[in-house]
């Protein structure tokens, strides 16, 4: 009977850890509403914000902006670098844009408003692979891959509250069963 309790405890701990490490999030671009705008300085750029953020497969980026004045264009690297708005992969113009990050690697976004991209209203996000996510390793950008500012995400160094509570509940359940 003790071996069944031990197996149950192990299963609960593994499931709790899995939930902790696979939880997708909605991430507000810039960390707040209406951040999709021309930055007032280099330190105010969305790429500065992205450098200190960690993006995972399954996360969703959320933009809020005035749809009468702006839009979000998802583009290829070349169009990002040249601020070419003529051939986006996807155009978003609803004012409450949500983009699911469904694969690892870089995502490029620019403003669709005339002249805004040239003034710095653009964003690169680098999504970690599932492997590096589970190992808690941030991938380093290749110098060939990125011509712009360094955008490798950094570790948040913590575990989210919900996953931690799940782990604690699992351990307590195991202790009660013994």
């Amino acid at each position: 009977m003790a071996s069944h309790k031990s197996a149950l405890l192990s299963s609960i701990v593994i499931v709790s850890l899995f939930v902790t490490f696979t939880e997708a999030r909605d991430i507000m671009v810039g960390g707040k509403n209406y951040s999709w705008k021309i930055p007032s300085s280099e330190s105010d750029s969305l790429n500065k914000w992205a450098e200190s953020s960690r993006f995972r497969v399954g996360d969703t980026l959320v933009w809020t902006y005035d749809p009468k004045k702006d839009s979000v264009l998802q583009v290829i690297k070349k169009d990002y670098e040249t601020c070419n708005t003529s051939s986006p992969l996807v155009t978003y113009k609803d004012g409450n844009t949500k983009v699911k990050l469904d694969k690892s690697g870089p995502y490029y976004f620019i403003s669709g408003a005339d002249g805004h991209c040239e003034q710095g209203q653009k964003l690169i996000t680098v999504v970690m692979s599932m492997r590096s996510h589970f190992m808690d390793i941030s991938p380093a950008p290749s110098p060939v891959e990125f011509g712009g500012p360094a955008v490798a995400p950094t570790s948040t160094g913590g575990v989210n509250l919900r996953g931690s509570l799940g782990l604690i509940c699992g351990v307590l359940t195991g202790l009660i069963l013994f």
Side-chain angles (χ1 to χ4, degrees):
M1 176 124 178
S3 66
H4 291 294
K5 290 181 181 179
S6 179
L8 177 62
L9 174 61
S10 296
S11 296
I12 291 171
V13 169
I14 289 170
V15 168
S16 296
L17 287 172
F18 182 75
V19 168
T20 298
F21 292 117
T22 60
E23 185 175 307
R25 307 163 295 159
D26 283 358
I27 302 170
M28 183 66 64
V29 170
K32 59 186 178 204
N33 283 321
Y34 296 97
S35 295
W36 189 239
K37 60 185 179 184
I38 296 170
S40 58
S41 66
E42 178 66 29
S43 63
D44 188 38
S45 79
L46 290 175
N47 283 332
K48 276 288 195 203
W49 165 78
E51 288 174 9
S52 64
S53 300
R54 176 172 240 165
F55 304 101
R56 304 172 186 158
V57 172
D59 286 348
T60 299
L61 294 178
V62 181
W63 283 261
T64 53
Y65 53 92
D66 183 345
K68 294 176 185 163
K69 297 179 181 178
D70 211 340
S71 61
V72 177
L73 307 180
Q74 187 172 349
V75 297
I76 62 173
K77 179 182 177 186
K78 181 180 177 188
D79 290 343
Y80 173 88
E81 292 171 342
T82 61
C83 291
N84 179 9
T85 60
S86 66
S87 57
L89 299 171
V90 186
T91 299
Y92 304 97
K93 48 187 172 183
D94 64 354
N96 188 29
T97 296
K98 295 183 179 188
V99 176
K100 184 164 184 157
L101 304 173
D102 57 1
K103 65 184 185 339
S104 62
Y107 286 75
Y108 301 93
F109 302 96
I110 61 175
S111 170
D114 287 340
H116 285 212
C117 178
E118 292 83 356
Q119 295 180 63
Q121 188 179 344
K122 53 190 188 174
L123 171 67
I124 301 173
T125 59
V126 178
V127 178
M128 298 184 315
S129 69
M130 291 305 288
R131 179 173 178 256
S132 64
H133 172 69
F134 283 112
M135 296 176 64
D136 203 29
I137 298 171
S138 298
S142 162
V144 175
E145 177 70 28
F146 302 107
V151 294
T154 59
S155 172
T156 57
V159 177
N160 69 37
L161 179 62
R162 190 166 89 187
S164 298
L165 290 175
L167 180 60
I168 291 168
C169 289
V171 170
L172 291 176
T173 301
L175 292 174
I176 291 169
L177 293 175
F178 286 107

